[in-house]
Amino acid sequence: MATPELPNAVIADALEELGDLYELDGAIVHRVVAYRSAAKRVREASVSVAALARAGRATELPGIGATLQEKIVTLLDAGTIPAAERLRAKFPPGLIAITRIPGLGPKRARLLQLELGIDSPESLREAALAQRLRGVRGLGPKFEANVLAALQAGAAERAAPRILLPKAIAVGAALIAGLSERARPGTRIELAGSVRRQADSVKDLDLIATTSRPAALAGTLAGLDEIESVSAAGGAGARGRTHAGMTVDLRIAKPSQHGNLLQHFTGSARHNAALREASVRGGLHVSEYGLLEDASGRTRTCATEAELYELLGLAYIEPELREDRGELQAARLDGGAGLPALVRLEDIRGDLHCHTIASDGHNSIEEMAAAARERGYEYLAFTDHSASHGFGNDVSPDQLRRQIELVHRENARIDGIELLAGSEVNILPDGGLDYEDELLAELDWVIASMHTAFAMSEQKMTERMIAAIEHPLVRAIGHPTGRLIARRAPYAIDLDAVFAAAARTGTMLEINGNPDRRDLSDVQARAAARAGATIVIDSDAHRVLTLENMRWGVASARRGWLTAADVANSRSLAQLRELGKQPRK
DNA sequence: GCCGTTTTCGGCCCGACTGTTTTCAGTCG
């Protein structure tokens, strides 16, 4: 085949656009939701959806049926979907852009197009300035003013930015501290939403509180230093914006409803929708206020989430699993397959990827070793960059020999932790490594990663990666897809083939805990483990402080349904040495 | 458009808030 297949992200974009277009065209909401849901599944699929569709198997993905299977193949063959072509002629991109303005959805966009010929942010601005929007039935001066303010703020040009998880947690903690100071004793305030689910990045912050005096607490949000403005403050809570532009939702309920509220605002939206749909069939209606029973007409409240799930006939579901990826079926107390006992940070017994001042790290061997021991680790591998890393922080063969000596010397000196001399070796474009095998054989631990030449074809990249996986001295592959969250897409690579090769050779695959990476991702790590590959979770620390990044890697592993047994470094060093590929002696 | 422990057809969660209305549609999460 001459032309490469479309990446999942491109197929997902096409489905999302088609959903937007159908929405403007007045399609029923469920059809639109079906397109968006399918787009999400395609985007997060760990395998090539193009290849799946070619084989007629895209319907194996939940949310994709015969119609979309066919439309995806059409997109692959013709480069476009006829229905999208037809609708694009009716609804220009500018019309979709104005639906990004808060309070302006598809119905109003369509109305504005029909009544005033508006088809772009520019024509919308002109009409608003000329006070023509208020002439449309259902719209008034306030709507006009809100539209102008949103256009001024650039709402139509760009989607709201996503914040990486650590930053979101820090902002959330500051808000909770501020609210707690002003709250009555006994008030409980905590983070829910995608932060609690430990997602890679989040769009806004969801805070929940339980108190007997809701209105008083809601009123205090506006007074916090971090809050720029409060846009809504009803009886149930308040909504504000931070100075950095992040939306903050605070919702408040009675202590007896704590479980209901926490479950509702932890989400995800898709988990909740699926949960509620299934519950309705059993005559139960779930909301943030309680559980309405059709039979008795009573609403039952739950102080804890576990109670709520139990009333629904389900085992407790950890927040990280609540993404509608099969957890509801697995959790059924009557015949579900059961949920995994997720790996915990406390299960991690060592870190197998970190850097020192020998390459681009900021601390010495001694400092890193002491900090790792402080964390309770049993072992730590030093994996500075290899000979060709560039940026002035590569380690020549002679320098590596010296580093091995230093690590072994420190290992002899320090008690309570085993230090491994390792390297993060570059995988060269031809699949080779940038140290001689003879030198690699002197190391206790070798992790191999790609740091250059990302623009290769999928086939070449896959061959390159598999060559490294098959190298007898490579124990693990670092950050296997090269993605940087919200900054750089993964390189083109056939992960199915990578997972199979890793399983076959006993080469471990990393979940890199750097919060910019989290690579493998949750769904990829799950697919890798299912394919029989062993996962290693690393911090990739470049200083003492970032040894802490292990927690983000564990978060991804938990979101990927992994147990301690799936994770190599939940084992003792002796057990680890027995695991997977055996290094040469 | 998807999907099935009531269904291969007829369903497809639940509630808050806004701005415009005289009872509600649209939007959002």
Side-chain angles (χ1 to χ4, degrees):
Chain A
M1 202 170 347
T3 49
E5 291 285 24
L6 295 180
N8 291 353
V10 174
I11 298 172
D13 287 345
L15 296 181
E16 214 159 77
E17 184 202 10
L18 201 44
D20 288 344
L21 289 166
Y22 276 130
E23 188 175 41
L24 283 169
D25 203 34
I28 62 159
V29 63
H30 303 109
R31 191 167 169 220
V32 176
V33 166
Y35 272 93
R36 292 187 179 149
S37 157
K40 191 166 192 298
R41 298 290 188 173
V42 168
R43 199 179 300 282
E44 68 185 22
S46 63
V47 300
S48 162
V49 173
L52 218 51
R54 288 275 188 217
R57 291 172 42 213
T59 52
E60 288 173 16
L61 294 174
I64 295 194
T67 306
L68 284 182
Q69 151 74 36
E70 202 174 309
K71 282 201 158 104
I72 292 170
V73 171
T74 303
L75 175 66
L76 296 174
D77 286 336
T80 183
I81 300 171
E85 291 287 305
R86 182 172 55 78
L87 291 169
R88 272 192 212 116
K90 271 173 85 176
F91 310 114
L95 200 64
I96 293 179
I98 68 170
T99 65
R100 281 200 282 269
I101 291 169
L104 207 171
K107 294 229 167 66
R108 284 172 179 163
R110 183 85 177 102
L111 190 65
L112 290 170
Q113 186 192 29
L114 281 175
E115 303 245 325
L116 301 175
I118 286 166
D119 61 359
S120 68
E122 294 73 38
S123 54
L124 177 64
R125 187 197 309 271
E126 285 168 25
L129 287 171
Q131 304 196 336
R132 284 190 285 130
L133 302 186
R134 64 184 65 180
V136 178
R137 182 171 171 75
L139 308 181
K142 281 200 172 155
F143 175 78
E144 221 164 54
N146 288 342
V147 162
L148 280 173
L151 283 170
Q152 188 63 32
E157 277 86 46
R158 53 184 182 274
R162 295 191 69 90
I163 313 296
L164 288 182
L165 183 59
K167 173 76 179 163
I169 289 177
V171 175
L175 293 173
I176 288 176
L179 287 169
S180 299
E181 261 176 42
R182 294 160 172 78
R184 292 159 58 85
T187 302
R188 188 167 171 188
I189 310 171
E190 62 204 294
L191 275 165
S194 43
V195 169
R196 183 161 179 251
R197 301 197 311 278
Q198 304 278 297
D200 294 339
S201 66
V202 311
K203 185 163 61 57
D204 48 30
L205 284 174
D206 293 301
L207 297 175
I208 70 151
T210 42
T211 174
S212 51
R213 301 274 292 275
L217 184 64
T220 61
L221 183 70
L224 300 186
D225 290 344
E226 292 81 5
I227 296 294
E228 173 200 87
S229 60
V230 169
S231 61
R239 172 174 301 168
R241 242 175 82 95
T242 67
H243 294 287
M246 186 159 36
T247 300
V248 178
D249 268 314
L250 170 66
R251 288 292 297 267
I252 306 169
K254 292 195 278 264
S256 61
Q257 297 169 314
H258 179 259
N260 305 93
L261 186 65
L262 181 59
Q263 195 283 326
H264 173 77
F265 277 95
T266 296
S268 64
R270 294 165 51 83
H271 172 87
N272 283 357
L275 177 81
R276 291 168 179 198
E277 275 174 36
S279 302
V280 168
R281 290 196 285 273
L284 298 167
H285 301 268
V286 179
S287 83
E288 58 265 54
Y289 298 113
L291 190 60
L292 171 64
E293 290 176 330
D294 278 341
S296 65
R298 276 201 319 145
T299 296
R300 303 177 64 165
T301 59
C302 303
T304 68
E305 287 183 318
E307 273 174 55
L308 175 59
Y309 280 110
E310 193 184 346
L311 285 173
L312 297 172
L314 299 169
Y316 176 73
I317 300 173
E318 296 282 1
E320 292 93 331
L321 297 181
R322 300 181 198 169
E323 298 289 346
D324 192 26
R325 293 175 183 159
E327 71 279 9
L328 290 165
Q329 294 81 343
R332 291 175 63 127
L333 294 174
D334 60 336
L339 293 165
L342 300 181
V343 62
R344 301 161 307 160
L345 188 57
E346 308 90 88
D347 293 326
I348 300 299
R349 295 167 78 164
D351 197 335
L352 294 166
H353 184 170
C354 78
H355 298 263
T356 72
I357 48 176
S359 63
D360 58 349
H362 293 83
N363 290 102
S364 65
I365 292 169
E366 292 78 8
E367 290 163 342
M368 294 297 280
R373 187 177 58 179
E374 186 76 12
R375 294 180 63 83
Y377 288 157
E378 297 169 23
Y379 47 91
L380 175 68
F382 292 93
T383 53
D384 278 296
H385 289 292
S386 55
S388 70
H389 189 63
F391 311 109
N393 48 41
D394 43 294
V395 176
S396 72
D398 279 343
Q399 288 170 319
L400 180 58
R401 288 190 189 93
R402 173 81 181 139
Q403 177 81 348
I404 294 171
E405 213 178 290
L406 290 175
V407 170
H408 287 168
R409 191 183 302 167
E410 176 64 12
N411 191 41
R413 197 191 63 81
I414 194 169
D415 285 330
I417 186 166
E418 284 292 316
L419 305 181
L420 307 181
S423 176
E424 182 183 14
V425 183
N426 275 337
I427 304 171
L428 300 169
D430 69 356
L433 306 178
D434 60 353
Y435 290 125
E436 298 295 330
D437 285 2
E438 197 180 25
L439 179 52
L440 291 175
E442 291 177 32
L443 294 166
D444 304 313
W445 175 257
V446 177
I447 185 164
S449 313
M450 307 249 199
H451 289 109
T452 54
F454 291 164
M456 299 169 68
S457 73
E458 176 177 318
Q459 192 190 338
K460 291 273 182 222
M461 206 61 165
T462 307
E463 288 169 4
R464 175 184 179 188
M465 176 70 83
I466 290 178
I469 287 172
E470 288 178 339
H471 192 291
L473 295 170
V474 170
R475 298 293 305 279
I477 298 293
H479 42 74
T481 80
R483 74 153 176 179
L484 294 177
I485 297 167
R487 282 199 287 147
R488 184 173 77 202
Y491 34 72
I493 192 160
D494 178 354
L495 283 178
D496 266 352
V498 168
F499 298 162
R504 172 169 51 79
T505 58
T507 308
M508 300 172 198
L509 297 177
E510 182 183 68
I511 297 177
N512 188 293
N514 180 329
D516 282 306
R517 292 188 182 272
R518 295 180 68 174
D519 177 9
L520 299 171
S521 72
D522 46 14
V523 291
Q524 290 161 351
R526 187 178 179 190
R530 275 187 178 168
T534 300
I535 301 296
V536 56
I537 309 175
D538 294 325
S539 72
D540 195 359
H542 281 66
R543 59 180 79 237
V544 161
L545 216 59
T546 46
L547 284 167
E548 175 69 17
N549 285 344
M550 184 65 78
R551 66 181 283 201
W552 316 119
V554 170
S556 284
R558 290 171 62 84
R559 290 175 58 82
W561 293 54
L562 300 192
T563 66
D566 295 316
V567 176
N569 50 324
S570 70
R571 293 167 169 76
S572 69
L573 185 56
Q575 291 169 319
L576 186 70
R577 284 189 167 125
E578 298 302 313
L579 193 67
K581 195 186 290 180
Q582 293 307 305
R584 271 182 221 159
K585 293 292 172 196

